[in-house]
Amino acid sequence: MKTPGPQQPGVSFSRDQPLIRFGVLGSGKGSNFRALAEVFQSGTLGCEPVIVLSDVESAGILDLAKGFDIPAHFVAPGPFRTKMSPEAEAELVRLLRETRVDFVVLAGFMRVIKEPLLQAFPGRILNIHPSLLPAFRGLEAWRQAVEAGVPEAGCTVHLVDSGVDTGKILGQSRVPVLPADTAETLHARIQIAEHELYPRIVREFAQGINTR
Ligand code: GRF
């Protein structure tokens, strides 16, 4: 175990240690990445986003990353719709290793992670899913929740394994489903919860790596 150093309130990281580094993979607008980057900028994330990678060349997350001065790259996904080609996934691994990341955060990455990436970062890939897993795995979980008529929804941060939204749960936040909710209004409420939950769980995860 590493020696703990002086601590900020609520953040048990040594100021003498280099920060734990993580890479972010995303396909969309990147609001979860923005939440992580803002908490990092405030000095309380306890770990550092050092690279952002996307399978979508026009993804907002790449522009956001550049705005935060974080290197951002498009990696062409190859011919498959739901996964990266083996070559493309190998390129993700190469870039993440070259950037010396300690763990990987999926923030709206819309492809299933396969063996090369899972083996490169075993037990070190996190995802956020917009439901209270194990309920509503898969796409548009907020719409599934509205259609099922459940009174409560939420979001889950979990480790990524070879299944879809099946890995070990690290944390959840709950939100109500209101009678007038549409899929869109519920998704907006879930996203507000995501932006608080993800930085909190990422901080705890990095702390776990630091004290191992
Ligand atoms: C989030 O709702 C997350 O739960 C899901 O994809 C969405 C990404 O949104 N995995 P954003 O790109 O972070 O805004």
Side-chain angles (χ1 to χ4, degrees):
M1 181 145 92
K2 293 170 189 169
T3 319
Q7 293 175 5
Q8 299 169 31
V11 185
S12 57
F13 289 93
S14 165
R15 288 185 187 142
D16 305 329
Q17 284 173 12
L19 280 178
I20 297 281
R21 299 159 66 86
F22 66 96
V24 178
L25 270 53
S27 310
K29 66 183 191 295
S31 69
N32 278 284
F33 160 70
R34 187 178 56 226
L36 289 161
E38 286 175 355
V39 177
F40 168 71
Q41 280 195 330
S42 78
T44 59
L45 191 60
C47 53
E48 179 174 9
V50 290
I51 190 168
V52 173
L53 302 173
S54 182
D55 58 322
V56 178
E57 199 163 12
S58 60
I61 194 170
L62 291 176
D63 290 331
L64 267 179
K66 289 172 196 153
F68 281 101
D69 273 336
I70 297 172
H73 304 279
F74 162 64
V75 175
F80 308 106
R81 201 173 53 83
T82 58
K83 61 177 184 178
M84 303 293 276
S85 68
E87 298 75 22
E89 196 163 299
E91 177 65 0
L92 292 179
V93 171
R94 190 189 70 73
L95 287 163
L96 292 164
R97 284 201 166 129
E98 183 183 82
T99 322
R100 294 178 290 109
V101 311
D102 299 294
F103 70 103
V104 178
V105 166
L106 306 187
F109 190 64
M110 297 307 288
R111 290 172 192 266
V112 178
I113 303 297
K114 297 298 194 184
E115 280 308 311
L117 197 47
L118 288 172
Q119 279 171 10
F121 296 94
R124 291 200 177 200
I125 306 177
L126 277 59
N127 183 42
I128 188 155
H129 181 76
S131 81
L132 295 171
L133 289 174
F136 308 128
R137 294 190 169 111
L139 293 176
E140 298 200 331
W142 57 87
R143 191 178 306 281
Q144 297 183 50
V146 168
E147 285 170 2
V150 291
E152 197 176 47
C155 49
T156 303
V157 177
H158 63 94
L159 289 179
V160 175
D161 62 14
S162 57
V164 175
D165 306 322
T166 50
K168 180 184 172 196
I169 291 175
L170 302 180
Q172 293 186 312
S173 283
R174 297 170 177 276
V175 302
V177 182
L178 303 178
D181 265 335
T182 61
E184 289 68 32
T185 57
L186 178 59
H187 188 207
R189 191 175 308 117
I190 291 172
Q191 285 229 283
I192 292 168
E194 288 182 341
H195 301 159
E196 185 278 325
L197 178 70
Y198 218 0
R200 182 156 55 82
I201 301 299
V202 163
R203 180 190 299 124
E204 286 173 13
F205 188 79
Q207 206 161 357
I209 293 177
N210 226 357
T211 51
R212 236 171 247 168

